[in-house]
Amino acid sequence: MRIKTTFPLAISSLAAGVMLAGHVNAMPNTLNWTAYGTGTSGHAQIMAISQLLQQEHGTQSRVIPGENDTMRMTPLKTGRVDLCACGIASYYGSEGVMMFAGPDWGPQPIRVISTSMATFGLGMAVAGDVEIDSIADLEGKRLAYLRGDDALNKAAEAYLAFAGLTWDDVERVDFPGYNAAFDGIISGRADAAITTTVTPAAQRLSASPRGLQWPELPSEDEAGWQQMLEVAPYFQPHSVTSGAGIDAEQPLASASYPYPVMVSNADLAPETVQGLITTLVESFDDYKDNAPGARGYALENQNMTWVVPFHDAVVEYYRDTGVWTDEMDEHQNALVERQTLLMDTWERYKEDAPEDEEAFISGWMSERRSALEAANMNPIF
């Protein structure tokens, strides 16, 4: 479960002068990023942060918009950019699964710099005319399955797991894509689909004759959360205050994960990371209102025991400022050990891997699972 960082921004003065003098001035002249496409909140946030970096350090930013996960992640893999403001694909890349299980990818040495937790969430959108009081009532209902969208299907699997259900307990209805799934719910061919609460598709369902409802995931249901996190450990309880049919005064007890996730490779220069994390934390008030969702970078929103390891320089910063705990250190070390195991296993596997891509992926996923299980680690995929 999440460790919430509740402390009075004792980072106020931070013994700060020493760190600022020693590290922040070492920021590079230019930072290269990839981010979500122009017009998205993720892109707007990075532009706001880039403007602040220029004002405080004279660092120019070049932000390359990427329309999908691989377009955002490829420049990071090849070293063309320093940072990626990615989505949950950063976790998949770290694990070497889904779109990153092919011969050109494999597990990546990804490290978190910071994350943003917005006011929306990822929920199970259920037609309003379906009798349902909880996720458990999805049993026997028609649940949308999106062909080719492993990430959202995994999220649906995790939601089912919260109630001890699997895809075998629902009527799976396949759709060619996301919008088609919601067209199917509106027309009566399905009953539910996974989505973020703020999407136009959710708004369309809410405005349709069928209406929309969001089953809750109570944070106090420890058994449910344990079952969900076994399937998708990147989720965390979240009070959702924005989205179709959601009243900000009555938050929805649901789930979410960070968006965007600001990541680099493990070898990004520590002085660059030190300057970046110092700016993000200590100059938060200077950019929090400059883009939709930018308040999500607040220190209290940072999940220090998430699923991708932090960059060493971020750990050093949090340790020096009194935020980092022994429990966080233990979790960080376990994540690095897991990633190292996966990368070593990948290198061994490639030596005699089949050339056929489908066989390659199948063999890798089997080899990956065996290596993790042998080390008493949850394969998850």
Side-chain angles (χ1 to χ4, degrees), residues 27 69 84 92 101 196 208 229 254 264 322 325 359:
M27 286 286 285
D69 291 326
C84 176
Y92 302 145
T196 56
S208 77
L229 295 178
S254 189
S264 70
T325 67

Side-chain angles (χ1 to χ4, degrees), residues 9-329:
L9 242 226
I11 295 186
S12 49
S13 66
L14 266 186
V18 178
M19 296 180 70
L20 289 173
H23 293 283
V24 175
N25 292 336
M27 286 286 285
N29 293 327
T30 304
L31 274 179
N32 294 309
W33 307 67
T34 56
Y36 278 72
T38 56
T40 64
S41 61
H43 187 273
Q45 290 169 28
I46 299 309
M47 295 306 295
I49 291 168
S50 296
Q51 184 178 27
L52 181 64
L53 292 173
Q54 182 175 2
Q55 291 171 352
E56 293 200 355
H57 311 295
T59 297
Q60 300 282 343
S61 292
R62 177 170 173 258
V63 182
I64 304 170
E67 296 306 318
N68 58 49
D69 291 326
T70 53
M71 288 178 67
R72 287 185 287 272
M73 293 278 287
T74 297
L76 184 67
K77 174 179 180 287
T78 59
R80 183 182 172 197
V81 301
D82 307 294
L83 298 150
C84 176
C86 294
I88 197 59
S90 56
Y91 168 64
Y92 302 145
S94 178
E95 292 279 319
V97 297
M98 295 188 180
M99 65 285 285
F100 305 109
D104 294 333
W105 280 96
Q108 301 295 305
I110 290 172
R111 296 291 186 272
V112 171
I113 309 299
S114 186
T115 64
S116 177
M117 282 296 290
T119 56
F120 62 83
L122 190 71
M124 183 66 73
V126 182
D129 57 9
V130 175
E131 291 188 16
I132 183 171
D133 293 321
S134 69
I135 290 291
D137 295 326
L138 280 177
E139 185 171 7
K141 305 299 190 298
R142 299 168 297 174
L143 180 58
Y145 182 93
L146 310 182
R147 289 195 292 271
D149 197 326
D150 292 339
L152 282 181
N153 292 332
K154 187 71 172 175
E157 179 187 345
Y159 265 76
L160 291 171
F162 190 92
L165 304 176
T166 70
W167 281 101
D168 293 335
D169 297 306
V170 297
E171 182 181 340
R172 172 178 147 175
V173 184
D174 286 25
F175 291 96
Y178 180 77
N179 286 318
F182 277 84
D183 289 340
I185 297 174
I186 292 170
S187 65
R189 290 178 288 130
D191 298 314
I194 201 81
T195 181
T196 56
T197 59
V198 292
T199 57
Q203 298 285 357
R204 284 197 297 119
L205 177 57
S206 180
S208 77
R210 297 196 73 185
L212 168 66
Q213 57 185 318
W214 302 100
E216 294 193 332
L217 303 178
S219 58
E220 63 271 15
D221 187 341
E222 294 184 7
W225 274 102
Q226 183 175 351
Q227 291 167 171
M228 186 175 189
L229 295 178
E230 282 290 313
V231 172
Y234 42 86
F235 278 110
Q236 58 194 49
H238 190 49
S239 293
V240 179
T241 58
S242 62
I246 296 173
D247 183 353
E249 299 300 318
Q250 296 180 311
L252 173 72
S254 189
S256 193
Y257 48 73
Y259 162 80
V261 184
M262 189 185 299
V263 297
S264 70
N265 286 319
D267 61 358
L268 182 61
E271 57 270 22
T272 296
V273 179
Q274 181 77 53
L276 184 55
I277 188 61
T278 302
T279 302
L280 289 169
V281 174
E282 297 175 32
S283 297
F284 176 69
D285 288 342
D286 296 330
Y287 69 90
K288 67 182 182 182
D289 296 318
N290 292 350
R295 286 176 175 263
Y297 291 97
L299 183 59
E300 60 266 26
N301 288 338
Q302 301 306 307
N303 185 347
M304 304 300 186
T305 56
W306 199 47
V307 291
V308 181
F310 284 97
H311 192 285
D312 286 349
V314 174
V315 172
E316 179 185 356
Y317 174 82
Y318 284 138
R319 183 180 287 122
D320 289 346
T321 55
V323 172
W324 201 251
T325 67
D326 290 343
E327 185 177 355
M328 294 171 189
D329 209 49

Side-chain angles (χ1 to χ4, degrees), residues 321-342:
T321 55
V323 172
W324 201 251
T325 67
D326 290 343
E327 185 177 355
M328 294 171 189
D329 209 49
E330 182 179 353
H331 184 80
Q332 169 81 3
N333 292 337
L335 291 178
V336 173
E337 180 184 356
R338 179 186 180 96
Q339 193 179 81
T340 301
L341 172 65
L342 286 171

